[in-house]
Every structure is written in structure tokens, then in C-alpha cells.
Amino acid sequence: MKRRGWQMFVFLLFIGFIYAKIPKEYEEVEDHNNILFTVTEPYMLAYTYQMKHAFMLGTHFPDGINKTMKHMDMVLADPINGCDTLRNIIFVPTVILMERGGCSFTEKAIHGQKAGASVVMVTDSENIEYGPQQYYVNMIPDESLDRADIPCVFVASITGRYFRDHLEEGGSITLDLPVEKNHAPWVHHQKRAPWENWTEDRHFI
């Protein structure tokens, strides 16, 4: 009897540990373990940025020597929240930028994939935080547990605002993602975006 009780205790402890590891949807988290991407054009946005990879919502980025997806175009989702079938017609490798809210992250990811996007990027540019620390959101599947067949990421609110403003003014954005940290000071687009605050500010300053 004691053995059975001990086994039940270990089982419940294990379940509690697993549950604690599952991030809550809409939970705002600090920038630990974020990955990087760079904008190569236009020049005024050519910096390195952080993004939070939603590995539970979509696929992983490619591995190996060709893991960086280069010369990707960025477009705004139409509608911007990605909650309905998108009117975007995409034929080239593209990152599609969406706004948080209005529906689950799963719906956004699936709609982005069906429109032909290579990566779904979500932001919360309508709620910009100007505090000393940028926050990111854990994007997880809804109760359907559906997953997209493309990578899905979240970027800081202020970065999303810069991207959205530029695209809405008729500009274009080209980016590479993900990228490794690079300390070469002469490469302009490898510098940290000045409006993003990182935990390790010794990089890209």
C-alpha cells in the first residue's frame, strides 16, 4: 500500500513538473532564449532584432549550413489580424506580419500558411511598451492543437510598429532569419536595433 502511495506521489510530481513547463497563452515573458533576425533593407531599419520562436505553434527553422532563410520579403497581412482568410497573394519567400488579438494564434498561423507565407510574424504594435524591458508573448496552439507547417514568431511591440508604419507608407522590407550573433562592428545591419532593449546589451551596441 505504501509503495502504491509513493508511486502516485511521484506520478503527480511528474505531472506538475510537465504542467509548469507549458507556457500559458498570452503570457508576457522576458527575452530569454530569443533568436535573432536581421533586416537588410531599407537602410534605416537595417539592424538585428530579437524574435520569440513559437515552436509549439509551427515548425522549426531549417538546421545545418543553410538554416538562414535569406532575402525574405515582408508584407502586412490583409486583414492585419490574420483572423479571416487572407487576401494576400504570395508567390515568393515571404514573412507575413500580423497583429495580435481577434482570434487564436493557431488561426493566424494556419491562415498565413494557406496564403503562401514562409513565416508568420506576430506583433502587438497597438500596445507599445516604452518601459526599460521589451516583452514577448508565448504563442501556443488553441484547443484544436492544430499546428502550421511553417515557423511562427513574435516580435517586440515597438519593432512591429516600425515595420508596420514603413510598410503602410508603401515601403518594402527584406530580412534574413534566423541569424547567429555577429560582433563585426563594420556590418551595419548586424547592430542591435537601438529601440530594442536586450538582456545582453554588450552585443550589437
Side-chain angles (χ1 to χ4, degrees), residues 94-120:
T94 300
V95 176
I96 193 161
L97 182 65
M98 301 180 180
E99 279 290 339
R100 176 186 180 185
C103 62
S104 70
F105 292 122
T106 296
E107 293 176 79
K108 297 177 189 293
I110 297 299
H111 286 152
Q113 175 187 324
K114 288 182 176 179
S118 304
V119 178
V120 168

Side-chain angles (χ1 to χ4, degrees), residues 36 40 45 62 69 150 169 177 193:
L36 306 176
T40 55
L45 296 176
M69 305 167 72
I150 57 176
E169 291 171 358
L177 76 170

Side-chain angles (χ1 to χ4, degrees), residues 1-8:
M1 191 70 179
K2 289 183 178 180
R3 179 180 178 85
R4 186 184 181 105
W6 173 252
Q7 289 176 336
M8 180 60 69

Side-chain angles (χ1 to χ4, degrees), residues 70-75 92-96 172-175:
K70 295 185 177 181
H71 312 302
M72 305 278 286
D73 292 334
M74 181 184 287
V75 299
V92 297
T94 300
V95 176
I96 193 161
S172 61
I173 296 177
T174 305
L175 62 160

Side-chain angles (χ1 to χ4, degrees), residues 114-132:
K114 288 182 176 179
S118 304
V119 178
V120 168
M121 180 176 287
V122 181
T123 190
D124 196 13
S125 72
E126 296 175 357
N127 294 293
I128 299 175
E129 296 186 18
Y130 290 103

Side-chain angles (χ1 to χ4, degrees), residues 7 11 14 23 29 38 48 64 74 80 85 93 98 104 109 113 136 145 162 164 167 172 177-179 183 188 197:
Q7 289 176 336
F11 175 76
F14 175 75
V29 296
T38 61
T48 298
M74 181 184 287
I80 188 63
T85 300
M98 301 180 180
S104 70
Q113 175 187 324
Y136 297 79
L145 298 181
Y162 274 103
R164 184 174 173 180
L167 293 171
S172 61
L177 76 170
V179 298
H183 300 277
H188 178 76
N197 295 305

